[in-house]
Amino acid sequence: MADFSDKVSNKAEDLGGKAKEGIGEATGNDSLADEGRADQVKSEIKEAVHEAGDKVKEVADKVLGAFKKDDDKPHTGDVN
């Protein structure tokens, strides 16, 4: 559930940033436009970190799955 709410929050921050940027540019308010661009960059960074975390989880699951498959195999030639 947290993943979904994080994505919604990031999207809202991105859209808010685009709105600030557009209003700032339309009114000649450079500070507001810059703030909007900064909000968009923060949103993009958060999304990239989230995606990287997903990739790490996928790789970890594959590695753990390989160990699990290895444990399921019968062991022969074990020395006591």
Side-chain angles (χ1 to χ4, degrees):
M1 186 69 163
D3 290 342
F4 178 74
S5 65
D6 289 344
K7 286 184 180 189
V8 169
S9 176
N10 287 344
K11 192 63 172 173
E13 186 171 31
D14 181 57
L15 293 174
K18 287 179 181 180
K20 285 181 185 178
E21 181 183 11
I23 293 169
E25 288 178 353
T27 61
N29 185 336
D30 292 335
S31 177
L32 185 60
D34 289 343
E35 185 179 331
R37 283 188 282 274
D39 287 349
Q40 291 173 70
V41 170
K42 283 193 305 186
S43 172
E44 291 169 6
I45 291 170
K46 288 178 186 178
E47 184 60 28
V49 168
H50 181 68
E51 289 176 11
D54 287 346
K55 294 292 181 189
V56 169
K57 288 177 191 175
E58 288 175 21
V59 170
D61 287 344
K62 286 180 182 178
V63 169
L64 292 174
F67 280 118
K68 173 101 172 95
K69 288 178 187 174
D70 189 46
D71 285 345
D72 291 342
K73 293 179 183 176
H75 295 281
T76 58
D78 289 339
V79 178
N80 292 336

